Every structure is written in C-alpha cells, then in structure tokens.
Amino acid sequence: MALLVLMPDRDATDLVAALRNAQSDVDLRVWPECGDVADVKFAVSWNHPHGELLRFPNLEVVSSFGAAVDHFLDDPSYPAGVVTVRVVDPDLERDMAEYVLCAILAHRRHWTWYHDRKKEAQWKPRSYTRSGTVLVLGLGRLGVATARLLASMGMEVIGWSRASKELPGVRCIVGRAELHGALPYADVVVCMLPLTPDTAGILDAEVFARFRRGAYLVSVGRGRHLVESDLLDALADGRLSGACLDVFATEPLPSDHPFWDHPAITITPHVASLTNPASVAEQIADNYRRMSSGEELLNRVDLGRGY
Amino acid sequence: MALLVLMPDRDATDLVAALRNAQSDVDLRVWPECGDVADVKFAVSWNHPHGELLRFPNLEVVSSFGAAVDHFLDDPSYPAGVVTVRVVDPDLERDMAEYVLCAILAHRRHWTWYHDRKKEAQWKPRSYTRSGTVLVLGLGRLGVATARLLASMGMEVIGWSRASKELPGVRCIVGRAELHGALPYADVVVCMLPLTPDTAGILDAEVFARFRRGAYLVSVGRGRHLVESDLLDALADGRLSGACLDVFATEPLPSDHPFWDHPAITITPHVASLTNPASVAEQIADNYRRMSSGEELLNRVDLGRGY
C-alpha cells in the first residue's frame, strides 16, 4: 500500500519531508517515479496530467493539495470510483485576506508605479487616497476572513453573498438587485465567489457599467468569473482605473495574452493563498490512516456540487 | 495683513481652495506672487528656498505644512523672531501605519518582483513567509499607531523607545542593551525615531551586524538615521535581504545615487504620510485668526528642541 505525491508543476520536496515527519512508515512515491502502480491506493494531487490517475488500478482516495478541486473537475477521465478529499490549511484564510489587503494598499500607494520610477531614478511624489468602500463578492470562509480584516482596518466594507449573513462591521447584502445598488458606492470590488453556473462570467460589461467611475477590481476567486474582453473595454473607457488579478481562465496565463502588457493590470500567478506543506501534512497522513483502517475520511468533497 | 503659501515643490492648488473654504476673507498670496512683502504676517511653508523668509519684514508666524520642521532647521537664515507652528493632520498616523504595513506585505508577497516578471510575461509562483516579528524603533505618535496596527494584524511586535511605555500587544523595551538583545529576533525592523544627536546614524554597521540574517529594513523616520554605505555593505553580505526607504539624507535623492539601481532597495519619495490640505486648512485658518487677535497659537514648535 503506497501514497503517491503527484504535483508536476510544484516542487514536492517540502511536502515529502513533512509527510515523512507526520508518518515515518508510509510507502511514499513521488511522481513520476511510481514503482508498481498496483501499490498506490492514495494520491495527493495538484494539476495532475489528465488521464494519469487511471494508471493506478487500486486507487481509492485522491486528495487535492489545497482547497480547490477544479483540477479534478477539469479532467474528463477523473476516476469515478475514488473518494475525493481536500486539505484545509487553517492559515489560508489569513493569507488570502492579507493578499487582498496588500493589493488594495499597493494600489492606493502607487507601489509598482514608484518601482517603475525607481528604474528611471525619478523622484515623483504623488498624493494618495485615504477613504474607500470595499465590496466583497462572496462570503465563504475566505470572503468572511477578508471582509473582517478590511473592516478592522477601518474600511467601509459591503459583503455580497447568496444566503443572508451577519458580520460585525460589514454591511451584508444579497441578490442581484442589492448588488447593483451597492456597486456605485465601491472604490474597490473584490471577487471571492465560488465558481458555479450562476457566478461564471459575472464580471462582465453589464456589471462593470455599474461600477463607480475609476473603481479598482481585485479578482482572487476563479479566472472564469471574469469576461476578459469586457475588463479590457472597461479599462479602456476609464470605468475601472485598474485591476489586480491572481486567477485566470487559462493558467499559466499564456505568454501572448494582452493582460501581460496592460499597464493598469497587476498580475500574480495564483499565489494569493498557497497551501503550506508543514501545515497540512498531518491532515494527509490522518486521511491515509483512516483509509487504511476503513474509517470515514475528513474533508470529503462532493465533485457533483463542485466543492 | 496677508497669508502667504510658500511651497515651491508642491502643487498649492488644493491648499489654497481649502483655505478659502475655511476663511473666505483672508488675503491669500501664493509664492512667488507675493504682492507687497510688507503685508505678509503669516506664512505656510514647505521646503522654502533658504533666505526667502527674510524678504518679509513683518512676518510673525511660520507654519510648517506638516509635522516635520527639518526644513526650518536646515535654513541657516531662518528668522529668529518668528513664532513657529506646525499642522497636525489627524490621519497622518493612520497613513504612516498603513504605509509600513504595505511595505511589509509587499515585501513578503514579492509584489515588485511579480511586477517585473509581468513585463517579461513570466508566470513564476513563489512561496511566501507567514510568520514574522517586527521591531519598531521609536514609539512616538506615529510609532505607536504603527505598532498597534501591526499587532492587530497578528504580528509579533516589539517596540523600542527612550522612555518606558506600555502598549497592549506590543513588547516594549528601552535602552541600547535591550535593543541589541531584540534585534536578532526581528524579521523586519522599522525605523520611526525622531532625529536627534542620539539617533542620527543609528542604522549603522554595528546595528546591522546584530540583525537576524535576511531581515528587512523599513526606514520612514529621517534619512540621517541611516549610514548609507553601511546599508549597502549589509545588503552585499546578505545580513539584510532588502530595505524599503522613504526618507534620505538628501532629498530628492540625487539621480546618480547607488540606491536607485540596487535591486533589493525599494524607494518611495517621502510619501509615507502626506498632509492632506482639506484635513489641515481649518488649523491654519485658526492659527491665523489667533495671531490676528493676539491669542496663543496652537501646535507651537520649539526649534531649539527640534520638535
């Protein structure tokens, strides 16, 4: 019985060390060195090559190395019979909230603009804006943590979610009509929605037309929330002053994509919150033990619902 | 009787509008259009040309357009007989604290590094560090506001000041020995000291030698706290991983200065906290009225003490 680590685009060194630390006797294989494929019953996967999981005839459990499971949903040959779980790094909410705060402060304080001036040895003080209402789209765990942090900073925060919520310091709204009513008041709009048929393409021309003129977009949910050509149009006509994007419909973002060259777009390569191997190795080892002893697994995912 | 606005390197438009709003009947002159110099009894100054204040024989009050008065101390021909005041923008503490937070988060999250990768259309995820102890040097009003904000973010904060302080969530220390003891524990050191004979040149090779290896420096007090060549040496040998500097011994920073080209140094042009004209126009108008009616002025500065 073996545990396979299958993360082609990440360095697995830290995870392997943390798993050995959490459970020293596990038979650990690191893709592509899989040994006898019949041994593998548990796989930790992140962006595995489509079809690859079918090579393991005795695979019982697949664990995402993160909260996201899009990479499983995207694989048309994802094995139907396996139990799917994920890991929940308790610090991811904090990381996400800090990323959003960093994006907002760096925008207000012209951080990358000064970086460009530095290359020209140009001393060019600019004023900055203080006030600001932030509209957070999506009040899941990450959205709640972010709304709370921004409110604790003294910002006015509006939170939009499908089901009604109550959060101290946050004005919570629901439904399309209330969203449309709130958009003109937001200096910053942060998209932290889950990706569902209702939310795919939600950041489109119709929604941008309701933004306050010169508002700023921070997109950290999923790339497919955004209609990319509509963003370019909204930037071109000044409706939006800029955007900070961490997620994209196609990742890695293709090198010929127009976002790369756009001066008002900040791009980070899906790093707003990254699972820390040391934080989650114990959860993976625990689920491996549970599988071995026939117990219920933790953090199971229903791929039919998408989360 | 006239009020002169004397700010050669700033756009005075917003201040003039705010002053007219605060006191519509004031005889307002905007340098270099001073009219009859004998009329000017009150000057609002920021970086005035040395000697310029001597042109006004009836000058009674000079107000700094900010909390700093270095630009007065630097002028050997600053008129001895005037009353010197400054303005206190109540939001400057908040601005400073947010700048320092922005500098720390942008450093941790590789913000300018990703900006450079964007220009190359390069998708290069990097991990980030979560934990971190921040040592704040100087617990004046700005230092206290900053230490409080960082502590509220969950960071471990140590605060160093001349006189003993108590701040919830901040470990307060005093004296050189305690500073030396704390330096090896700090991932980030923030200099927010006043400039005095005791603190000039405090950021030198001896202090850098006690930094934790790879620590980050944020310097927002005064440029002369820093021994510039010692910083370059400490960066070269890896003692410091980088520095974010907002203040410099000579401002504007000369275009041939080695800091501009240094990849590990972030430079902003003294913008960590900028007086907002709308926030302080009422204070200036109030002191102008007080001068006119012979009352005690507010926010007087003792230039002998330097603050």
Side-chain angles (χ1 to χ4, degrees):
Chain A
M1 191 171 79
L3 188 160
L4 173 71
V5 174
L6 204 181
M7 310 199 300
D9 62 3
R10 293 225 189 162
D11 180 352
T13 315
D14 289 349
L15 178 60
V16 167
L19 284 171
R20 288 237 158 82
N21 203 38
Q23 187 159 2
S24 57
D25 62 344
V26 65
D27 179 356
L28 206 55
R29 317 271 172 94
V30 180
W31 189 90
E33 312 297 331
C34 306
D36 183 348
V37 293
D39 297 341
V40 174
K41 294 185 76 173
F42 190 115
V44 179
S45 156
W46 191 260
N47 293 339
H48 65 265
H50 292 178
E52 190 66 15
L53 294 174
L54 296 176
R55 287 182 54 207
F56 307 97
N58 299 315
L59 190 63
E60 290 182 20
V61 177
V62 179
S63 174
S64 174
F65 183 65
V69 290
D70 308 38
H71 51 126
F72 297 160
L73 294 166
D74 288 347
D75 179 1
S77 61
Y78 189 82
V82 302
V83 171
T84 303
V85 295
R86 60 181 170 185
V87 293
V88 178
D89 183 334
D91 292 330
L92 283 184
E93 300 167 21
R94 184 86 203 157
D95 291 353
M96 176 60 83
E98 289 190 0
Y99 174 96
V100 172
L101 178 59
C102 182
I104 293 172
L105 293 178
H107 170 62
R108 280 204 201 149
R109 293 308 193 100
H110 318 299
W111 211 254
T112 55
W113 189 87
Y114 284 130
H115 183 63
D116 289 339
R117 297 295 77 68
K118 176 173 177 260
K119 290 177 184 166
E120 305 160 350
Q122 291 276 335
W123 180 274
K124 297 264 187 199
R126 285 175 73 184
S127 60
Y128 49 83
T129 56
R130 279 174 175 157
S131 61
T133 296
V134 182
L135 171 57
V136 176
L137 308 181
L139 292 176
R141 292 188 311 115
L142 297 175
V144 165
T146 301
R148 280 205 170 118
L149 179 64
L150 300 180
S152 81
M153 296 280 299
M155 300 182 195
E156 279 208 46
V157 181
I158 307 171
W160 182 63
S161 56
R162 199 176 44 174
S164 174
K165 300 242 174 183
E166 285 205 23
L167 276 178
V170 178
R171 183 153 74 84
C172 294
I173 59 174
V174 292
R176 273 277 174 167
E178 290 189 14
L179 172 62
H180 289 174
L183 281 168
Y185 295 97
D187 302 288
V188 179
V189 176
V190 185
C191 181
M192 312 189 74
L193 293 161
L195 186 67
T196 68
D198 283 343
T199 66
I202 191 171
L203 298 172
D204 65 0
E206 189 199 338
V207 160
F208 290 142
R210 295 169 192 273
F211 272 44
R212 167 179 287 197
R213 191 151 197 88
Y216 191 70
L217 173 70
V218 179
S219 175
V220 289
R222 291 284 179 272
R224 279 169 279 174
H225 288 132
L226 177 65
V227 180
E228 297 185 343
S229 56
D230 289 0
L231 173 63
L232 292 171
D233 290 346
L235 288 168
D237 78 4
R239 174 60 59 183
L240 272 72
S241 61
C244 174
L245 311 177
D246 187 53
V247 290
F248 304 87
T250 304
E251 294 183 6
L253 188 66
S255 59
D256 59 352
H257 196 287
F259 285 176
W260 288 114
D261 281 336
H262 200 294
I265 296 179
T266 292
I267 292 174
T268 55
H270 206 145
V271 291
S273 60
L274 293 178
T275 299
N276 185 312
S279 296
V280 298
E282 185 54 55
Q283 291 174 45
I284 295 169
D286 188 24
N287 265 338
Y288 185 74
R289 282 191 294 263
R290 284 166 178 268
M291 177 195 71
S292 312
S293 59
E295 290 171 69
E296 184 74 13
L297 273 69
L298 301 178
N299 292 313
R300 280 188 70 153
V301 177
D302 179 348
L303 287 185
R305 284 191 307 160
Y307 57 89
Chain B
M1 192 171 78
L3 189 159
L4 173 71
V5 174
L6 203 181
M7 310 199 300
D9 63 1
R10 294 225 188 162
D11 181 354
T13 316
D14 289 349
L15 177 59
V16 167
L19 283 172
R20 287 236 159 80
N21 203 40
Q23 186 159 1
S24 56
D25 63 345
V26 66
D27 179 357
L28 206 55
R29 316 271 173 91
V30 180
W31 189 90
E33 313 298 329
C34 307
D36 182 349
V37 293
D39 296 342
V40 174
K41 294 184 76 173
F42 190 114
V44 179
S45 156
W46 190 259
N47 292 339
H48 65 265
H50 292 178
E52 190 66 14
L53 294 174
L54 296 176
R55 286 181 54 208
F56 308 97
N58 299 313
L59 190 63
E60 290 182 21
V61 177
V62 178
S63 174
S64 175
F65 183 64
V69 290
D70 307 38
H71 51 126
F72 298 161
L73 294 166
D74 287 347
D75 179 1
S77 60
Y78 188 83
V82 302
V83 172
T84 303
V85 297
R86 59 181 171 185
V87 294
V88 179
D89 183 336
D91 292 330
L92 284 184
E93 298 167 23
R94 184 86 203 157
D95 291 353
M96 176 60 83
E98 288 189 3
Y99 174 96
V100 172
L101 178 59
C102 182
I104 294 172
L105 293 178
H107 169 63
R108 278 204 203 148
R109 292 308 192 100
H110 317 300
W111 211 255
T112 54
W113 189 86
Y114 284 130
H115 183 65
D116 289 338
R117 297 294 78 68
K118 175 173 177 262
K119 291 179 182 165
E120 305 160 351
Q122 290 277 335
W123 180 274
K124 296 265 187 197
R126 285 175 72 183
S127 61
Y128 49 82
T129 54
R130 280 174 174 157
S131 61
T133 296
V134 181
L135 170 58
V136 176
L137 308 181
L139 292 176
R141 291 187 312 115
L142 298 175
V144 165
T146 302
R148 279 205 170 117
L149 178 65
L150 300 179
S152 81
M153 296 281 300
M155 300 183 195
E156 279 208 45
V157 181
I158 306 171
W160 183 64
S161 56
R162 199 176 42 173
S164 175
K165 299 240 176 187
E166 283 206 24
L167 277 177
V170 178
R171 184 154 74 82
C172 294
I173 60 173
V174 293
R176 273 279 174 164
E178 289 188 16
L179 172 62
H180 289 174
L183 281 167
Y185 296 96
D187 301 289
V188 179
V189 177
V190 185
C191 182
M192 313 189 74
L193 292 161
L195 187 67
T196 68
D198 282 344
T199 66
I202 192 170
L203 298 172
D204 65 0
E206 190 199 335
V207 160
F208 291 142
R210 294 169 193 275
F211 272 43
R212 169 180 285 197
R213 191 152 197 87
Y216 191 71
L217 173 69
V218 179
S219 175
V220 289
R222 291 284 179 274
R224 279 169 279 175
H225 287 133
L226 177 66
V227 179
E228 297 185 341
S229 56
D230 289 359
L231 173 63
L232 292 171
D233 291 345
L235 289 167
D237 78 4
R239 174 60 61 181
L240 272 72
S241 61
C244 175
L245 310 177
D246 187 53
V247 291
F248 304 88
T250 304
E251 294 181 6
L253 188 66
S255 59
D256 60 351
H257 196 285
F259 285 176
W260 288 114
D261 280 336
H262 199 294
I265 295 179
T266 291
I267 291 173
T268 56
H270 206 145
V271 291
S273 60
L274 292 178
T275 299
N276 185 313
S279 297
V280 298
E282 186 54 57
Q283 291 174 42
I284 294 169
D286 189 24
N287 266 339
Y288 185 73
R289 282 190 294 264
R290 285 166 178 267
M291 176 195 72
S292 312
S293 59
E295 289 172 69
E296 183 74 13
L297 273 69
L298 302 178
N299 293 311
R300 281 189 69 154
V301 177
D302 179 348
L303 288 184
R305 283 192 307 161
Y307 57 89

